[in-house]
């Protein structure tokens, strides 16, 4: 018999029902542990009444709001799979996910309903649709919930998220973990990593400025309510508002992507020093490689509280690094804390230290792509190691350095160019606000390296500035890695969490240059 504690919101509701489980950063609107547990139980009962059985599916398309963790836990209490859909998708893209995951219920809001409901209703087998807000023609979720009490649901089994890959090549694929079949509160992998790796506990205040539909905000938000801490969620990221939230709520832990660091570093010095950030113990960043100069600046500003982890939607493994160790090895994303790292070349052989290859994890959690056994098989090699297509190398001590995504690679004149390195240089130029480097068609080279640059406010693009940026890049990198062409744009396509949508840029340029 395991002596592991059973942890989920109901555990904390019994001990501290009035403690804040979730707070909206801007408004201060609060959901206590007692209210969170009651809501989740009522929702689980609604799903049971609707006939959903453990292992079946529901979907949510919601902006960041207080109910996000509550509807997540309701599905989890019911032993269901649940998928949060990006609010930035078109109706057709969202409907594809709803149909692919076979959701029997879709929950929307007044903000998201107009963009997706019509497309979802046009499906051959549309789900039941509810809205958290009054929307004409859609059933109100609260009306459905009101028929059920919030007492604990007997014999609840663990549910699970089912996230969708970003679809950098083709349509997104559902990443489907196996359900454990264990009682509610028995498994908490992410919460355990948060506890052991970052010191998260019941007294922690965790700030999340990213969209809840992304993997890390959703999993870490759930982890906080497993461990009994408080999740402070922003409606959206805004640089000064984030600093204000850290001071207001005495935030101890937080999670960011590198673009957010760049936005905060761009604030005037008078704004950056206005807020008391001394409560911070750990500021985690992930989601994309962070330029070395950017991370140096953040550590100088916030102190050695930065911690980085590398993982993926498929959760095949992860690494971690703290500030002190990173300063000794700038650029690393750490050593494996889940799974075992291997770097493999194009022939399937392991690479020597310092040699780039595909990043594989051995002995990590297994997964499958929903309805796509061929893609699942492609992710695993003969040894059973798994990869998601990232390129990197290990040093002699087993620290991982990421180079780029395989599908971002540019082949110019027969030479492989990984654009992340070029982006990390160009973004440090004082006139550059944001940058994406992509390969575009070229008659002689096959592809040429092109930089798409968003300039700092007030800076005008010019031929002279193109020459300046190319020279700046060539002073630090081989010419083959530097752009032959630079375009200036008003903005780059990024997710609200800062993730660069290179596929959209590549598609745009290929269509334009065809």
């Amino acid at each position: 018999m395991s002596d592991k504690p059973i942890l989920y919101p109901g555990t904390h509701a019994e001990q501290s029902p009035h403690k804040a489980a979730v707070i909206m950063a801007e408004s201060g609107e609060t959901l206590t542990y007692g209210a969170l547990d009651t809501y989740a139980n009522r929702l689980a009962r609604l799903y049971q009444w609707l006939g959903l059985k453990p292992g079946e599916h529901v979907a949510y398309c919601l902006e960041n709001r207080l109910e996000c963790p509550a509807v997540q836990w309701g599905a989890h209490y019911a032993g269901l799979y649940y998928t949060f859909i990006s609010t930035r998708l078109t109706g057709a893209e969202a409907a594809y996910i709803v149909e692919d995951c076979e959701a029997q219920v879709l929950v929307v809001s007044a903000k998201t309903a107009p963009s997706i409901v019509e497309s979802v209703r046009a499906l051959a087998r549309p789900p039941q649709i509810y809205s958290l807000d009054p929307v004409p023609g859609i059933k109100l979720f609260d009306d459905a919930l009101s028929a059920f009490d919030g007492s604990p649901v007997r014999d609840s089994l663990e549910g699970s998220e089912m996230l969708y890959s970003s679809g950098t090549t083709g349509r997104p694929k559902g990443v489907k973990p196996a359900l454990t079949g264990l009682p509610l509160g028995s498994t908490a992998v992410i919460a355990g990593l948060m506890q052991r790796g970052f010191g998260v506990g019941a007294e922690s205040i965790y700030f999340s400025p990213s969209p809840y539909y992304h993997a890390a905000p959703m999993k870490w938000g759930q982890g906080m309510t497993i461990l009994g801490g408080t999740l402070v969620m922003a409606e959206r990221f805004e640089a000064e508002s984030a600093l204000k939230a850290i001071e207001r709520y005495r935030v101890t832990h937080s999670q960011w992507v590198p673009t957010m660091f760049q936005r905060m570093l761009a604030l005037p010095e008078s704004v950056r020093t206005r807020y008391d950030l001394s409560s911070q113990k750990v500021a985690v960043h992930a989601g994309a490689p962070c330029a070395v100069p950017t991370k140096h600046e953040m550590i100088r500003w916030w102190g050695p509280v930065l911690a980085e982890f590398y993982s993926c939607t498929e959760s095949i493994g992860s690494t971690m690094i703290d500030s002190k160790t990173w300063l000794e090895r700038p650029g690393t994303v750490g050593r494996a804390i889940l799974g075992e790292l291997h770097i493999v070349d194009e022939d399937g052989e392991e690479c020597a230290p310092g040699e780039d290859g595909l990043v594989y994890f051995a002995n990590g959690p297994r997964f499958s792509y929903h309805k796509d056994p061929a893609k699942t098989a492609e992710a695993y090699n003969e040894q059973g190691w798994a990869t998601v297509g990232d390129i990197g190398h290990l040093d002699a001590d087993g620290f991982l350095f990421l180079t780029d995504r395989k599908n971002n690679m540019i082949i110019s004149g027969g030479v492989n160019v990984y654009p992340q390195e070029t982006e990390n240089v160009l973004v440090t130029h004082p006139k550059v606000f944001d940058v994406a480097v992509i390969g575009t068609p070229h008659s002689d080279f096959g592809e040429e390296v092109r930089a798409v640059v968003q300039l700092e406010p007030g800076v005008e693009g010019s031929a002279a500035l193109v020459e300046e940026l190319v020279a700046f890049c060539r002073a630090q990198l081989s010419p083959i890695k530097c752009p032959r062409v630079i375009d200036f744009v008003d903005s780059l396509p990024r997710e609200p969490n800062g993730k660069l949508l290179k596929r959209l840029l590549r598609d745009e340029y290929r269509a334009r240059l065809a």
Side-chain angles (χ1 to χ4, degrees):
M1 187 77 142
S2 171
D3 58 358
K4 287 176 61 177
I6 299 295
L7 293 176
Y8 65 102
T11 308
H12 309 296
E14 291 180 1
Q15 300 165 354
S16 307
H18 303 298
K19 181 179 180 177
V22 188
I23 302 174
M24 294 306 298
E26 294 84 354
S27 66
E29 187 183 6
T30 299
L31 188 68
T32 66
Y33 271 99
L36 173 59
D37 182 56
T38 296
Y39 190 109
N41 279 306
R42 290 170 66 201
L43 180 50
R45 291 181 185 280
L46 168 62
Y47 286 147
Q48 290 175 343
W49 181 79
L50 290 172
L52 274 72
K53 296 179 174 54
E56 295 187 313
H57 214 114
V58 296
Y60 304 117
C61 188
L62 304 169
E63 72 278 15
N64 279 15
R65 54 190 291 164
L66 205 62
E67 292 93 342
C68 286
V71 296
Q72 178 185 13
W73 274 114
H76 200 93
Y77 278 28
L80 304 175
Y81 283 107
Y82 42 90
T83 293
F84 279 79
I85 298 171
S86 169
T87 59
R88 292 172 62 89
L89 297 182
T90 66
E93 289 169 328
Y96 162 76
I97 291 177
V98 170
E99 183 175 47
D100 186 72
C101 74
E102 300 175 338
Q104 297 188 46
V105 172
L106 171 66
V107 181
V108 297
S109 69
K111 287 186 178 179
T112 64
S115 63
I116 73 167
V117 166
E118 184 177 344
S119 296
V120 170
R121 281 179 169 162
L123 294 173
R125 306 174 90 176
Q128 297 194 55
I129 303 175
Y130 295 89
S131 176
L132 295 180
D133 313 302
V135 175
I138 302 178
K139 292 176 283 189
L140 192 63
F141 207 42
D142 277 352
D143 287 349
L145 285 175
S146 64
F148 302 92
D149 71 76
S151 60
V153 176
R154 292 181 179 274
D155 303 321
S156 289
L157 302 178
E158 295 271 49
S160 174
E161 79 284 343
M162 185 172 126
L163 302 168
Y164 272 72
S165 68
S166 57
T168 51
T169 55
R171 281 182 153 174
K173 297 296 181 184
V175 178
K176 192 169 189 178
L179 292 178
T180 65
L182 295 173
L184 177 65
S186 301
T187 55
V189 174
I190 295 297
L193 292 175
M194 292 167 65
Q195 189 176 45
R196 295 190 303 272
F198 303 107
V200 174
E203 303 307 313
S204 300
I205 310 294
Y206 169 67
F207 178 58
S208 180
S210 296
Y212 201 77
Y213 57 74
H214 281 294
M218 183 198 309
K219 291 183 178 183
W220 284 59
Q222 185 182 49
M224 284 303 298
T225 50
I226 287 172
L227 296 172
T230 298
L231 164 62
V232 178
M233 182 173 19
E235 292 177 12
R236 65 190 62 82
F237 171 75
E238 194 280 326
E240 184 175 357
S241 296
L243 302 179
K244 189 181 299 183
I246 294 171
E247 178 183 77
R248 177 181 178 183
Y249 297 105
R250 305 301 296 158
V251 167
T252 60
H253 294 72
S254 53
Q255 190 170 140
W256 315 84
V257 294
T259 303
M260 295 174 180
F261 289 162
Q262 294 162 14
R263 302 292 188 267
M264 291 187 288
L265 287 167
L267 291 169
E269 186 70 17
S270 60
V271 175
R272 287 173 50 185
T273 57
R274 183 178 301 162
Y275 299 97
D276 178 5
L277 311 179
S278 61
S279 60
Q280 296 189 102
K281 295 179 179 178
V282 180
V284 178
H285 70 97
C290 185
V292 169
T294 298
K295 188 159 179 176
H296 271 300
E297 284 299 311
M298 286 302 300
I299 293 173
R300 274 193 282 269
W301 178 18
W302 284 6
V305 300
L306 265 66
E308 183 171 3
F309 78 92
Y310 159 67
S311 188
C312 55
T313 302
E314 291 80 352
S315 298
I316 57 175
S318 57
T319 69
M320 189 182 76
I321 188 80
D322 60 19
S323 290
K324 179 179 180 297
T325 310
W326 183 88
L327 288 169
E328 297 167 356
R329 303 167 191 260
T332 182
V333 294
R335 288 196 282 200
I337 58 170
L338 179 64
E340 299 169 4
L341 278 166
H342 298 271
I343 307 297
V344 177
D345 66 18
E346 293 180 357
D347 297 322
E349 300 296 324
E350 286 209 60
C351 295
E355 292 182 1
D356 277 338
L358 274 173
V359 179
Y360 278 85
F361 281 93
N363 301 321
R366 292 192 66 86
F367 77 98
S368 63
Y369 290 113
H370 186 50
K371 299 181 181 177
D372 199 334
K375 186 175 176 65
T376 303
E378 287 176 10
Y380 288 90
N381 65 8
E382 293 179 355
Q383 290 91 342
W385 307 343
T387 184
V388 294
D390 286 329
I391 300 290
H393 64 266
L394 297 174
D395 69 10
D397 297 314
F399 285 84
L400 176 63
F401 291 76
L402 292 175
T403 305
D404 212 326
R405 295 281 295 183
K406 185 179 181 181
N407 54 29
N408 286 339
M409 184 177 73
I410 301 165
I411 303 176
S412 183
V415 177
N416 294 348
V417 176
Y418 294 104
Q420 184 69 54
E421 190 176 8
T422 311
E423 291 167 355
N424 287 346
V425 169
L426 287 172
V427 79
T428 64
H429 191 284
K431 296 178 183 177
V432 173
F433 181 75
D434 201 1
V435 60
V437 175
I438 59 174
T440 53
H442 189 276
S443 57
D444 292 331
F445 298 107
E447 287 185 300
E448 65 181 350
V449 179
R450 181 183 296 258
V452 186
V453 173
Q454 179 183 350
L455 296 170
E456 287 284 353
V459 178
E460 294 291 331
S462 66
L465 182 53
V466 169
E467 292 181 5
E468 181 181 335
L469 294 177
V470 170
F472 179 78
C473 191
R474 290 190 173 202
Q476 301 176 65
L477 295 176
S478 163
I480 192 65
K481 299 179 180 179
C482 297
R484 296 174 59 87
V485 183
I486 294 181
D487 295 334
F488 298 114
V489 295
D490 293 334
S491 63
L492 290 172
R494 286 190 180 271
E495 287 273 13
N497 77 331
K499 182 177 182 179
L500 181 63
L501 300 173
K502 280 193 177 178
R503 175 176 56 85
L504 299 182
L505 275 180
R506 286 195 295 261
D507 290 349
E508 176 188 335
Y509 273 93
R510 283 170 185 161
R512 187 192 305 175
L513 299 173

